Amino acid sequence: MKSLVLLIVVAFAVGASAQCNPCSTMKWATCDGTNCQCVLRVSSDGPGIPLNCSALIPKCFLMKAEMYRARTGQSTRSSGKPTEHAFVDNDGIYDPDCEANGRFKAKQCNNTNECWCVNSAGVRRTDKGDKDSIKCEELVETIWVRLQLKHKPTGAPVDPTALRQAIGDAISKRYGVDGKLVNNTEYDKDARLIMVDVVKPKTDRTTDLSRAAYYMEKDVKILPLFTGENKFLPTVGGQTLDFEDIVVYYVDEKPPTFTMKRLTGGVIAVIVVVILAVAAGLLVLFFARRRDRARYEKTQPREMDEMQ
């Protein structure tokens, strides 16, 4: 009798799980239980992170999930600078430390003794340093992202005017970005490059621009994080644009604090060569002026003697 009851309970649980809808914004999520709570597993132990599937998942949680899946052999594929202070994420993915709400902690170490400071998008904005010596006083807010998209060749020319409207609408619809924040779109038809600026007020601490940027990167470079395989494919004048590359630039409310001590030997060598070349040019200019001045001084007395 007890075995029968147990089988009924298990069957009910499996049936309840089967009736749960998948998480539309995170294909790796597991949704089960009587209330169909969707969670994202980021470690081999623990219940997982509860998700709000009506919104994009915080980037910090997504990166932790990717690292976990990579460690356990699970697939992760199923899934021009606007200012002088803009920078790209050259470090790639790491295992981040997250706040309970999905925000990045200001100090990141990737489970090592070497740490660095990040912005609200989780991108390194300082040199790396010793775990005990480096200090990250605050999580600096990313207030502007520039999305540089390169689309594949099309059968007919793309109308720049229609493109600007279509791209803004598509980003707003797919990633939930307020259309008012998409404040500039430029198009280089020869290079097939589209540059989209998404900017929020400096006082805004609610809007997380990194979420949309990260989802878009996955759409273009790998496969969507959304449930289903539909990609970011805006339609412009009857033509569907497919993209082959994307670069994301981040602009923070405060400039990053990189120094030369972390530059590679090759980069430093180039800088030194440029400095030496400039110095040599200045020296040549200095001696040339001295030579011309000496000639002038020698010529001037001779002309005065002839006049006398």
Coordinates of all heavy atoms in Angstrom, one line a residue, residues 4-72:
L4 N 2.4 1.9 -3.4 CA 1.4 2.5 -4.3 C 1.2 4.0 -4.1 O 1.1 4.8 -5.0 CB 0.0 1.8 -4.1 CG -1.1 2.2 -5.0 CD1 -0.7 2.0 -6.5 CD2 -2.4 1.5 -4.7
V5 N 1.1 4.4 -2.8 CA 1.0 5.8 -2.5 C 2.2 6.6 -3.0 O 2.1 7.7 -3.5 CB 0.8 6.0 -1.0 CG1 0.9 7.5 -0.6 CG2 -0.5 5.4 -0.5
L6 N 3.4 6.0 -2.8 CA 4.6 6.6 -3.2 C 4.7 6.8 -4.7 O 5.0 7.9 -5.2 CB 5.9 5.8 -2.8 CG 7.2 6.4 -3.1 CD1 7.4 7.8 -2.5 CD2 8.3 5.4 -2.7
L7 N 4.2 5.8 -5.4 CA 4.2 5.9 -6.9 C 3.2 7.0 -7.4 O 3.5 7.7 -8.3 CB 3.8 4.5 -7.5 CG 4.8 3.4 -7.4 CD1 4.2 2.1 -7.9 CD2 6.0 3.8 -8.3
I8 N 2.1 7.1 -6.7 CA 1.1 8.1 -7.0 C 1.7 9.5 -6.8 O 1.5 10.4 -7.6 CB -0.2 7.9 -6.2 CG1 -0.9 6.6 -6.6 CG2 -1.1 9.1 -6.4 CD1 -2.1 6.3 -5.7
V9 N 2.4 9.7 -5.7 CA 3.0 11.0 -5.3 C 4.0 11.4 -6.4 O 4.1 12.5 -6.9 CB 3.6 11.0 -3.9 CG1 4.4 12.2 -3.7 CG2 2.6 10.8 -2.9
V10 N 4.9 10.4 -6.7 CA 5.9 10.6 -7.8 C 5.3 11.0 -9.1 O 5.7 11.9 -9.8 CB 6.9 9.4 -7.9 CG1 7.8 9.6 -9.1 CG2 7.7 9.2 -6.6
A11 N 4.3 10.2 -9.5 CA 3.6 10.5 -10.7 C 3.0 11.8 -10.8 O 3.0 12.5 -11.8 CB 2.6 9.4 -11.0
F12 N 2.4 12.3 -9.6 CA 1.8 13.6 -9.5 C 2.9 14.7 -9.7 O 2.7 15.7 -10.4 CB 1.1 13.7 -8.2 CG 0.5 15.1 -8.0 CD1 -0.7 15.5 -8.6 CD2 1.1 16.0 -7.2 CE1 -1.3 16.7 -8.4 CE2 0.6 17.3 -7.0 CZ -0.6 17.6 -7.6
A13 N 4.0 14.4 -9.0 CA 5.1 15.4 -9.1 C 5.6 15.6 -10.5 O 5.9 16.7 -11.1 CB 6.2 15.0 -8.2
V14 N 5.8 14.4 -11.2 CA 6.3 14.4 -12.6 C 5.3 15.1 -13.5 O 5.6 15.9 -14.4 CB 6.6 13.0 -13.1 CG1 6.9 13.0 -14.6 CG2 7.7 12.4 -12.3
G15 N 4.0 14.8 -13.3 CA 2.9 15.5 -14.1 C 2.9 17.0 -13.9 O 2.7 17.7 -14.8
A16 N 3.1 17.4 -12.6 CA 3.1 18.8 -12.3 C 4.3 19.5 -13.0 O 4.1 20.6 -13.6 CB 3.1 19.1 -10.8
S17 N 5.4 18.8 -13.0 CA 6.6 19.4 -13.6 C 6.4 19.5 -15.1 O 6.8 20.5 -15.8 CB 7.8 18.5 -13.3 OG 9.0 19.0 -14.0
A18 N 5.8 18.5 -15.7 CA 5.6 18.5 -17.2 C 4.7 19.6 -17.6 O 4.7 20.0 -18.7 CB 5.1 17.1 -17.6
Q19 N 3.8 20.0 -16.7 CA 2.8 21.0 -17.1 C 3.4 22.4 -16.9 O 2.7 23.4 -17.3 CB 1.6 20.9 -16.2 CG 0.8 19.6 -16.4 CD -0.4 19.5 -15.5 OE1 -0.6 20.3 -14.6 NE2 -1.1 18.4 -15.6
C20 N 4.6 22.6 -16.4 CA 5.2 23.9 -16.2 C 5.6 24.4 -17.5 O 6.3 23.7 -18.3 CB 6.4 23.8 -15.2 SG 5.9 23.4 -13.5
N21 N 5.4 25.7 -17.8 CA 5.9 26.4 -19.0 C 7.4 26.6 -18.8 O 7.9 26.9 -17.7 CB 5.2 27.7 -19.2 CG 3.7 27.5 -19.6 OD1 3.4 26.5 -20.2 ND2 2.8 28.3 -19.1
P22 N 8.2 26.5 -19.9 CA 9.6 26.8 -19.8 C 9.8 28.3 -19.5 O 9.0 29.2 -19.8 CB 10.1 26.4 -21.2 CG 9.0 26.5 -22.1 CD 7.8 26.2 -21.3
C23 N 11.0 28.6 -19.0 CA 11.4 30.0 -18.8 C 11.7 30.7 -20.1 O 12.7 30.3 -20.8 CB 12.6 30.1 -17.8 SG 13.1 31.8 -17.4
S24 N 11.0 31.7 -20.5 CA 11.1 32.2 -21.9 C 12.4 33.0 -22.1 O 12.9 33.1 -23.2 CB 9.9 33.1 -22.2 OG 9.9 34.2 -21.3
T25 N 13.0 33.5 -21.0 CA 14.2 34.3 -21.1 C 15.5 33.5 -20.7 O 16.6 34.1 -20.7 CB 14.1 35.6 -20.2 OG1 13.8 35.2 -18.9 CG2 13.0 36.5 -20.8
M26 N 15.4 32.2 -20.4 CA 16.6 31.5 -20.0 C 16.3 30.0 -20.3 O 15.6 29.3 -19.6 CB 16.9 31.7 -18.5 CG 18.1 30.9 -18.1 SD 19.7 31.5 -18.7 CE 20.0 30.7 -20.2
K27 N 17.0 29.5 -21.4 CA 16.7 28.2 -21.9 C 17.4 27.1 -20.9 O 17.0 26.0 -21.0 CB 17.3 28.0 -23.3 CG 18.7 28.2 -23.4 CD 19.3 27.8 -24.8 CE 18.5 28.4 -25.9 NZ 19.0 28.0 -27.2
W28 N 18.3 27.5 -20.1 CA 18.9 26.5 -19.2 C 18.2 26.4 -17.9 O 18.6 25.6 -17.1 CB 20.4 27.0 -18.9 CG 21.3 27.1 -20.1 CD1 21.2 26.4 -21.2 CD2 22.3 28.0 -20.3 NE1 22.1 26.8 -22.1 CE2 22.9 27.8 -21.6 CE3 22.9 29.0 -19.4 CZ2 24.0 28.5 -22.0 CZ3 24.0 29.7 -19.9 CH2 24.5 29.4 -21.2
A29 N 17.1 27.1 -17.7 CA 16.4 27.1 -16.4 C 15.6 25.8 -16.3 O 15.2 25.2 -17.3 CB 15.5 28.3 -16.3
T30 N 15.4 25.4 -15.0 CA 14.5 24.2 -14.7 C 13.3 24.7 -14.0 O 13.4 25.5 -13.0 CB 15.3 23.2 -13.8 OG1 16.5 22.8 -14.5 CG2 14.4 22.0 -13.5
C31 N 12.1 24.4 -14.5 CA 10.9 24.9 -13.9 C 10.1 23.7 -13.5 O 9.6 22.8 -14.3 CB 10.1 25.7 -15.0 SG 11.0 27.0 -15.7
D32 N 9.9 23.6 -12.2 CA 9.1 22.4 -11.6 C 8.5 22.8 -10.3 O 8.6 23.9 -9.8 CB 9.9 21.2 -11.6 CG 11.2 21.3 -10.8 OD1 11.2 22.3 -9.9 OD2 12.1 20.6 -11.0
G33 N 7.9 21.8 -9.6 CA 7.2 22.1 -8.4 C 5.8 22.5 -8.5 O 5.3 22.7 -9.7
T34 N 5.1 22.5 -7.4 CA 3.7 22.8 -7.5 C 3.4 24.3 -8.0 O 2.4 24.6 -8.6 CB 3.0 22.7 -6.1 OG1 3.7 23.4 -5.2 CG2 3.0 21.2 -5.7
N35 N 4.4 25.2 -7.7 CA 4.2 26.6 -8.2 C 5.0 26.9 -9.4 O 5.1 28.0 -9.8 CB 4.6 27.5 -7.0 CG 6.1 27.4 -6.6 OD1 6.7 26.4 -7.0 ND2 6.6 28.3 -5.8
C36 N 5.7 25.8 -10.0 CA 6.4 26.0 -11.2 C 7.5 27.1 -11.2 O 7.7 27.9 -12.1 CB 5.5 26.3 -12.4 SG 4.5 24.9 -12.9
Q37 N 8.2 27.1 -10.0 CA 9.3 28.1 -9.9 C 10.5 27.7 -10.8 O 10.9 26.5 -10.8 CB 9.8 28.2 -8.4 CG 11.0 29.0 -8.2 CD 10.8 30.5 -8.5 OE1 9.9 31.1 -7.9 NE2 11.5 31.0 -9.5
C38 N 10.9 28.6 -11.6 CA 12.1 28.4 -12.5 C 13.4 28.8 -11.8 O 13.4 29.9 -11.2 CB 11.9 29.1 -13.8 SG 10.5 28.6 -14.8
V39 N 14.4 27.9 -11.8 CA 15.6 28.2 -11.2 C 16.8 28.0 -12.2 O 16.6 27.2 -13.1 CB 15.9 27.3 -9.9 CG1 14.8 27.6 -8.9 CG2 15.9 25.8 -10.3
L40 N 17.9 28.6 -11.9 CA 19.1 28.5 -12.8 C 20.2 27.9 -11.9 O 20.6 28.4 -10.9 CB 19.5 29.9 -13.3 CG 20.7 29.9 -14.2 CD1 20.4 29.1 -15.5 CD2 21.1 31.3 -14.5
R41 N 20.7 26.7 -12.3 CA 21.7 26.0 -11.6 C 23.1 26.6 -11.9 O 23.5 26.7 -13.0 CB 21.7 24.6 -11.8 CG 22.5 23.7 -10.9 CD 22.2 22.2 -11.0 NE 20.9 22.0 -10.6 CZ 20.5 21.9 -9.3 NH1 21.4 22.1 -8.3 NH2 19.3 21.6 -8.9
V42 N 23.8 27.0 -10.8 CA 25.1 27.6 -11.0 C 26.2 26.8 -10.2 O 27.4 27.2 -10.2 CB 25.2 29.1 -10.5 CG1 24.3 29.9 -11.4 CG2 24.8 29.2 -9.1
S43 N 25.8 25.7 -9.5 CA 26.7 24.8 -8.8 C 26.1 23.5 -8.7 O 24.9 23.3 -8.9 CB 27.0 25.4 -7.4 OG 25.9 25.4 -6.6
S44 N 26.9 22.5 -8.3 CA 26.4 21.1 -8.2 C 25.6 20.9 -6.9 O 24.8 19.9 -6.8 CB 27.6 20.1 -8.2 OG 28.5 20.4 -7.1
D45 N 25.7 21.8 -6.0 CA 24.9 21.7 -4.8 C 24.0 22.9 -4.6 O 24.3 23.9 -5.2 CB 25.7 21.4 -3.5 CG 26.8 22.5 -3.4 OD1 26.9 23.3 -4.3 OD2 27.5 22.5 -2.3
G46 N 23.0 22.8 -3.8 CA 22.1 24.0 -3.7 C 20.9 23.9 -4.6 O 20.9 23.2 -5.6
P47 N 19.9 24.6 -4.3 CA 18.6 24.6 -5.1 C 18.7 25.4 -6.4 O 17.8 25.3 -7.2 CB 17.6 25.2 -4.1 CG 18.4 26.2 -3.3 CD 19.7 25.5 -3.1
G48 N 19.7 26.2 -6.6 CA 19.7 27.0 -7.8 C 19.1 28.4 -7.5 O 18.6 28.7 -6.4
I49 N 19.3 29.3 -8.4 CA 18.9 30.7 -8.3 C 17.4 30.9 -8.8 O 17.2 30.6 -10.0 CB 19.8 31.7 -9.0 CG1 21.2 31.5 -8.5 CG2 19.3 33.1 -8.9 CD1 22.3 32.3 -9.3
P50 N 16.5 31.3 -8.0 CA 15.1 31.6 -8.5 C 15.1 32.7 -9.6 O 15.8 33.7 -9.4 CB 14.4 32.0 -7.2 CG 15.2 31.5 -6.1 CD 16.6 31.6 -6.5
L51 N 14.4 32.5 -10.6 CA 14.4 33.5 -11.7 C 13.0 34.1 -11.9 O 12.0 33.6 -11.6 CB 14.7 32.7 -13.0 CG 16.1 32.0 -13.1 CD1 16.3 31.4 -14.4 CD2 17.2 33.0 -12.8
N52 N 13.1 35.4 -12.4 CA 11.9 36.1 -12.9 C 11.9 36.0 -14.4 O 12.7 36.7 -15.1 CB 11.9 37.5 -12.4 CG 10.8 38.3 -13.0 OD1 9.8 37.8 -13.6 ND2 10.9 39.6 -13.0
C53 N 11.2 35.1 -14.9 CA 11.2 34.8 -16.4 C 10.5 35.8 -17.2 O 10.4 35.6 -18.5 CB 10.7 33.4 -16.6 SG 11.8 32.1 -15.9
S54 N 9.9 36.8 -16.6 CA 9.2 37.8 -17.4 C 10.2 38.9 -17.8 O 9.8 39.9 -18.4 CB 8.1 38.4 -16.6 OG 8.5 39.0 -15.4
A55 N 11.5 38.8 -17.3 CA 12.5 39.8 -17.6 C 13.8 39.2 -18.0 O 14.0 37.9 -17.8 CB 12.7 40.8 -16.4
L56 N 14.7 39.9 -18.6 CA 16.0 39.4 -18.9 C 16.8 39.0 -17.6 O 16.6 39.7 -16.6 CB 16.9 40.4 -19.6 CG 16.3 40.8 -21.0 CD1 17.4 41.7 -21.7 CD2 16.0 39.6 -21.9
I57 N 17.5 37.9 -17.6 CA 18.2 37.5 -16.4 C 19.5 38.3 -16.2 O 20.1 38.6 -17.2 CB 18.6 36.0 -16.5 CG1 17.3 35.2 -16.9 CG2 19.2 35.4 -15.2 CD1 16.1 35.3 -16.0
P58 N 19.8 38.7 -14.9 CA 21.0 39.5 -14.7 C 22.3 38.8 -15.3 O 22.4 37.6 -15.2 CB 21.1 39.6 -13.2 CG 19.7 39.4 -12.7 CD 19.0 38.5 -13.7
K59 N 23.1 39.6 -15.9 CA 24.3 39.1 -16.5 C 25.2 38.3 -15.6 O 25.8 37.3 -16.0 CB 25.1 40.3 -17.1 CG 26.4 39.9 -17.9 CD 27.1 41.1 -18.4 CE 28.5 40.7 -19.0 NZ 29.2 41.8 -19.5
C60 N 25.3 38.7 -14.3 CA 26.2 38.0 -13.4 C 25.7 36.6 -13.2 O 26.5 35.7 -13.1 CB 26.2 38.8 -12.0 SG 27.5 38.3 -10.9
F61 N 24.4 36.4 -13.1 CA 23.9 35.0 -12.9 C 24.1 34.2 -14.2 O 24.5 33.0 -14.1 CB 22.3 35.1 -12.7 CG 21.9 35.6 -11.3 CD1 20.6 36.0 -11.1 CD2 22.9 35.6 -10.3 CE1 20.3 36.5 -9.8 CE2 22.5 36.1 -9.0 CZ 21.2 36.5 -8.8
L62 N 24.0 34.8 -15.4 CA 24.2 34.1 -16.6 C 25.7 33.6 -16.7 O 25.9 32.5 -17.2 CB 23.9 35.0 -17.8 CG 22.4 35.4 -17.9 CD1 22.2 36.4 -19.1 CD2 21.5 34.2 -18.2
M63 N 26.6 34.5 -16.3 CA 28.0 34.1 -16.4 C 28.3 33.0 -15.5 O 29.1 32.1 -15.8 CB 28.9 35.4 -16.1 CG 28.9 36.4 -17.3 SD 29.8 37.9 -16.9 CE 31.5 37.3 -16.6
K64 N 27.8 33.0 -14.3 CA 28.0 31.9 -13.3 C 27.4 30.6 -13.9 O 28.1 29.6 -13.8 CB 27.3 32.2 -12.0 CG 28.1 33.3 -11.1 CD 27.6 33.3 -9.7 CE 28.1 32.1 -8.9 NZ 29.6 32.1 -8.7
A65 N 26.3 30.7 -14.5 CA 25.7 29.5 -15.1 C 26.5 28.9 -16.2 O 26.7 27.7 -16.4 CB 24.3 29.8 -15.6
E66 N 27.1 29.8 -17.1 CA 27.9 29.4 -18.2 C 29.2 28.7 -17.6 O 29.6 27.7 -18.2 CB 28.3 30.6 -19.0 CG 27.2 31.1 -20.0 CD 27.7 32.1 -21.0 OE1 28.3 31.7 -22.0 OE2 27.5 33.3 -20.8
M67 N 29.8 29.3 -16.6 CA 31.0 28.7 -16.0 C 30.7 27.3 -15.4 O 31.5 26.4 -15.6 CB 31.6 29.6 -15.0 CG 32.2 30.9 -15.5 SD 33.6 30.6 -16.6 CE 34.8 29.9 -15.4
Y68 N 29.5 27.2 -14.8 CA 29.2 25.9 -14.2 C 28.9 24.9 -15.3 O 29.4 23.7 -15.1 CB 27.9 26.1 -13.3 CG 27.2 24.8 -13.0 CD1 27.8 23.9 -12.1 CD2 26.0 24.4 -13.5 CE1 27.2 22.7 -11.7 CE2 25.4 23.2 -13.2 CZ 26.0 22.4 -12.3 OH 25.4 21.2 -12.0
R69 N 28.3 25.2 -16.3 CA 28.0 24.3 -17.4 C 29.3 23.9 -18.1 O 29.5 22.8 -18.5 CB 27.0 24.9 -18.4 CG 25.6 25.2 -17.8 CD 24.7 25.8 -18.9 NE 24.4 25.0 -20.0 CZ 23.4 24.1 -20.0 NH1 22.6 23.9 -18.9 NH2 23.2 23.3 -21.0
A70 N 30.2 24.8 -18.2 CA 31.5 24.5 -18.9 C 32.3 23.5 -18.0 O 32.9 22.6 -18.5 CB 32.3 25.8 -19.1
R71 N 32.3 23.7 -16.7 CA 33.0 22.9 -15.7 C 32.4 21.4 -15.7 O 33.1 20.5 -15.6 CB 33.0 23.4 -14.3 CG 33.8 24.6 -14.1 CD 34.0 24.8 -12.6 NE 32.7 25.0 -11.9 CZ 32.1 26.2 -11.7 NH1 32.7 27.3 -12.1 NH2 31.0 26.2 -11.0
T72 N 31.1 21.3 -15.9 CA 30.5 20.0 -15.9 C 30.2 19.4 -17.2 O 29.5 18.4 -17.4 CB 29.1 20.2 -15.1 OG1 28.3 21.2 -15.8 CG2 29.3 20.5 -13.7

